[in-house]
Amino acid sequence: QVQLVESGGGSVQAGGSLRLSCAASGYTYSSLYMGWFRQAPGKEREEVAVIYTGDGRTWYVDSVQGRFTISQDNAKNTVALQMNSLKPEDTAMYYCAASQVGGNVFDPTTYSYWGQGTQVTVSS
């Protein structure tokens, strides 16, 4: 069983930055696919960025490419999402997710483990 705890959300003005962190525990897998997803009110959950902790490969949705960076700290079993040049449309609840298998890394159903979420609000 993998436990995920997110932190680092908050409110910021457009153009600002935030850094989200996801601490993972309770697993014995040598590597995981760990992703960040977001869901705005009235909208479906959508992918943001994914990292494979085995080799550091990353994937980004087009709308955040060049603005967001996903990274890992193996010593601390954490995955971070650095968000720069934030826009009002980035406002959402952000969720950390983990999967021991790959496949479609942007499909939420790939992921068996989810955190509780952290709110990000970007004002114009």
Side-chain angles (χ1 to χ4, degrees):
Q1 188 76 11
V2 181
Q3 289 85 44
L4 304 172
V5 178
E6 304 100 331
S7 61
S11 297
V12 66
Q13 289 191 327
S17 299
L18 284 172
R19 184 177 180 88
L20 306 183
S21 184
C22 175
S25 62
Y27 66 96
T28 58
Y29 310 113
S30 59
S31 57
L32 291 169
Y33 290 86
M34 294 191 69
W36 286 97
F37 291 77
R38 65 187 180 188
Q39 187 166 18
K43 295 188 177 182
E44 293 186 354
R45 190 167 296 189
E46 64 172 359
E47 67 280 2
V48 176
V50 177
I51 189 166
Y52 178 55
T53 63
D55 58 15
R57 281 180 291 161
T58 59
W59 296 263
Y60 296 92
V61 68
D62 288 347
S63 61
V64 308
Q65 184 77 43
R67 299 189 297 124
F68 291 11
T69 303
I70 190 170
S71 61
Q72 63 184 59
D73 183 336
N74 290 335
K76 297 180 180 180
N77 289 338
T78 60
V79 170
L81 183 69
Q82 178 66 41
M83 305 186 295
N84 298 329
S85 302
L86 282 161
K87 304 175 181 180
E89 51 264 42
D90 295 318
T91 295
M93 184 71 78
Y94 282 69
Y95 297 90
C96 179
S99 172
Q100 67 268 35
V101 297
N104 184 347
V105 297
F106 279 164
D107 183 351
T109 64
T110 296
Y111 297 82
S112 300
Y113 308 102
W114 291 85
Q116 298 280 47
T118 185
Q119 179 67 37
V120 171
T121 302
V122 184
S123 58
S124 58

